[in-house]
Amino acid sequence: LDVSLGAKGGAQVAGYLRQVSKGGIGSFTQAQLSGSGQRLAQAGFSGGELARALTAATDVEAGQGGGQGTVERAAHLLSKVKLSGKIEAEALSELGVDAVGFFKDLATRQKVNEKTARQLAAQGGAIKSDVLVHALERAIAGPPSGEKPSETSGTPVPVATIGW
């Protein structure tokens, strides 16, 4: 990790890998999660954001099975969203996320209609990538017990830019 992320970055990723692998999340070891953690860190995830992204990737595997390969694919898709600032229904399906519910929740949080939320999410940079990643993490984890997706934590986040 130190070679590709530097000493400080490598130590940070290793710390979060230990945190995630000790947290009883799946049956993954730190070594098994290191590739996914490195991919996420290279995409710009850091701090608690990195731990949440790793947890989301292992949650995808818990829902779909497939072992380490599923975790790596989920980390790849989360990294892609972080770097591109966009997501489409196809990627949601690969992550096991209900696209209708995802876009409904995103629309509520962005204070737009569902059609507009879909369009904005498909445009790179129309919604901040961190907002999309956080929405994905919420969708992967599911709503807290007894709450509907539109009532989950957080407040609406303004659209970064709308190209009209």
Side-chain angles (χ1 to χ4, degrees), residues 70-122:
T70 302
V71 174
E72 290 171 3
R73 179 69 182 147
H76 168 76
L77 290 170
L78 288 165
S79 295
K80 191 173 175 182
V81 171
K82 176 86 167 169
L83 292 170
S84 70
K86 65 181 180 178
I87 188 162
E88 296 178 11
E90 196 175 290
L92 294 173
S93 177
E94 287 186 57
L95 290 167
V97 171
D98 169 44
V100 173
F102 174 83
F103 288 117
K104 187 177 211 174
D105 184 52
L106 187 62
T108 299
R109 292 171 184 286
Q110 294 296 304
K111 297 184 178 182
V112 297
N113 64 42
E114 289 177 49
K115 181 179 177 184
T116 301
R118 276 183 188 269
Q119 292 169 342
L120 293 173

Side-chain angles (χ1 to χ4, degrees), residues 39-84:
R39 177 188 297 272
L40 291 165
Q42 288 173 331
F45 288 92
S46 64
E49 175 184 56
L50 176 60
R52 285 189 303 276
L54 274 171
T55 300
T58 59
D59 285 350
V60 170
E61 191 283 332
Q64 296 180 2
Q68 188 176 348
T70 302
V71 174
E72 290 171 3
R73 179 69 182 147
H76 168 76
L77 290 170
L78 288 165
S79 295
K80 191 173 175 182
V81 171
K82 176 86 167 169
L83 292 170
S84 70

Side-chain angles (χ1 to χ4, degrees), residues 143-158:
S145 299
E147 293 185 10
K148 293 184 243 173
S150 61
E151 298 172 341
T152 55
S153 63
T155 56
V157 180

Side-chain angles (χ1 to χ4, degrees), residues 115-154:
K115 181 179 177 184
T116 301
R118 276 183 188 269
Q119 292 169 342
L120 293 173
Q123 298 172 18
I127 299 175
K128 290 181 181 180
S129 64
D130 291 342
V131 171
L132 290 174
V133 168
H134 187 65
L136 273 174
E137 291 167 351
R138 274 194 317 272
I140 290 166
S145 299
E147 293 185 10
K148 293 184 243 173
S150 61
E151 298 172 341
T152 55
S153 63

